[in-house]
Amino acid sequence: IDRRTYLGGSDAAAILGLDPYGKTPLTVYLAKRGELQGITDPDKLLFLKRRKRWEEPIVAMLREEFGGEILAMNARYTDQEHDFLAAEIDFEWADDDGTIQNGEIKTVSPFAFNENAGWGDAGTDQVPIHYHAQVMHGLGVTGRNVCVLAALAGLDTMAFYRIERDEEAIGAMREVEVAFWRDNVLARVPPEPITMGDMKRLFDRRNGRPVELDDQAAAALETMRQIRGELKALEGDEAEAALAVAKSIAKAWGVPEGEEPPEDNAILTHNGRTLGKWVRGRGAYLDQKRLAVDHPEIKAAYTVPTAYRKFTFPKT
């Protein structure tokens, strides 16, 4: 099914400004209008590929640990009132009286599975707010009353959360979603930008023209200019301080004689207290100039054109 023809659970979270991964109302709008490129980030593509590979083991683990009877997997539903609202339910189960309810599966990094990230104790309804929005969207579309969210943290920890239908929240969400579809997507009117990323998507490819700023914007631009000047000065101060510390280290180590020391003695102390380290790093970089000369066809094949805008200031 073409995702441009409906709003799903993750779209709902983004439309409400709750998506933690960078999706905004504008990016959802552009995606529905077919004006946004698909995922091209290699790291994100690798993550999605790995997650797909883990689907079967996750389902097997779910069947082993979930207390209720699982009736179906990955069923898609369309809202009875609005055909542009849809939800794919990861799994469906029957409660004690045989009523079919919703289930969601989420894979979570063990390092992000904590209270700071919005996760409460298993058995509660305390899940990150963007997942809560997705759950309410699914309950609204299916008309059901309960969703169990199964969170897989790492490879061997699965916790279950029970989230009850919240009629008030669902009603408020549906108003926003319907208005978004009607007033933005169908009317071809972009929603208000809420991040600088949104602003860049709207104006990166548009030719510029002079703009008379209002007092508030002019003051904000002056604040930016001052901050940049302060940051540049601080960078210079940091470079001078780093050089002073490095000279002290060089004096203590002595002039190198061409042989690498057996240990990396870069711990920095003062009066018996450790203040920091001068750490030796290793890395590599892509020599683009050499690649362009030796293999121009490879460089051309992997060169992605971009457009951008940045704020500049006249020299004083």
Side-chain angles (χ1 to χ4, degrees):
I1 298 178
D2 189 346
R3 289 190 60 86
R4 292 176 297 179
T5 63
Y6 69 91
L7 296 176
S10 61
D11 295 329
I15 292 169
L16 295 169
L18 302 177
D19 185 87
Y21 307 113
K23 285 179 67 176
T24 66
L26 180 64
T27 62
V28 175
Y29 166 84
L30 294 174
K32 302 309 174 185
R33 298 301 315 173
E35 300 173 20
L36 189 67
Q37 271 191 324
I39 298 174
T40 57
D41 186 317
D43 290 338
K44 287 186 178 180
L45 290 171
L46 180 60
F47 169 77
L48 293 174
K49 183 178 180 180
R50 286 175 174 171
R51 188 169 67 177
K52 186 72 175 176
R53 190 184 306 154
W54 273 98
E55 281 185 358
E56 288 189 15
I58 290 172
V59 171
M61 188 173 179
L62 175 69
R63 292 187 181 278
E64 288 177 2
E65 299 196 14
F66 184 62
E69 180 186 3
I70 296 176
L71 305 175
M73 303 288 298
N74 300 320
R76 184 180 297 275
Y77 293 89
T78 300
D79 189 84
Q80 292 186 356
E81 183 180 359
H82 304 289
D83 61 1
F84 55 85
L85 299 180
E88 182 174 299
I89 307 305
D90 290 341
F91 68 97
E92 296 169 85
W93 55 281
D95 61 18
D96 293 338
D97 64 2
T99 304
I100 299 176
Q101 307 289 9
N102 290 357
E104 287 284 336
I105 301 173
K106 300 298 179 185
T107 53
V108 188
S109 166
F111 305 106
F113 192 56
N114 52 52
E115 186 178 351
N116 291 334
W119 294 100
D121 293 333
T124 69
D125 62 356
Q126 300 302 305
V127 301
I129 190 168
H130 59 288
Y131 289 153
H132 204 281
Q134 291 180 32
V135 166
M136 288 301 155
H137 174 88
L139 291 175
V141 169
T142 61
R144 293 169 181 164
N145 295 319
V146 178
C147 177
V148 166
L149 187 148
L152 177 65
L155 300 179
D156 56 3
T157 299
M158 181 169 279
F160 296 96
Y161 296 82
R162 181 183 177 94
I163 303 168
E164 305 281 346
R165 181 185 183 92
D166 184 331
E167 207 66 57
E168 184 177 353
I170 291 173
M173 284 179 57
R174 287 169 72 86
E175 285 185 15
V176 174
E177 291 176 281
V178 170
F180 176 83
W181 191 263
R182 179 191 63 224
D183 300 337
N184 298 118
V185 177
L186 296 183
R188 304 181 71 92
V189 176
E192 190 75 16
I194 62 173
T195 66
M196 274 304 297
D198 282 350
M199 297 300 297
K200 291 177 180 179
R201 288 185 179 92
L202 283 176
F203 296 107
D204 279 351
R205 292 174 174 80
R206 183 175 297 183
N207 290 332
R209 60 180 183 273
V211 174
E212 178 68 21
L213 298 177
D214 59 31
D215 292 344
Q216 184 178 4
L221 188 65
E222 175 60 20
T223 298
M224 286 177 55
R225 188 192 66 78
Q226 292 176 2
I227 291 172
R228 285 193 185 179
E230 292 170 3
L231 288 175
K232 188 172 182 180
L234 288 172
E235 287 175 358
D237 293 343
E238 183 186 19
E240 289 183 10
L243 179 59
V245 175
K247 284 182 176 180
S248 178
I249 295 171
K251 183 178 179 181
W253 282 357
V255 179
E257 300 177 355
E259 292 186 6
E260 196 167 301
E263 294 183 8
D264 189 12
N265 298 318
I267 299 173
L268 309 178
T269 63
H270 180 67
N271 292 333
R273 187 164 64 96
T274 298
L275 300 182
K277 296 180 181 180
W278 196 24
V279 182
R280 180 177 54 197
R282 299 185 184 276
Y285 72 97
L286 178 65
D287 189 337
Q288 296 190 45
K289 291 183 178 179
R290 183 178 172 187
L291 179 64
V293 172
D294 294 348
H295 302 284
E297 72 289 350
I298 295 178
K299 185 175 186 299
Y302 288 90
T303 298
V304 179
T306 62
Y308 64 92
R309 288 187 179 277
K310 64 179 181 179
F311 290 102
T312 63
F313 302 95
K315 294 182 178 180
T316 57

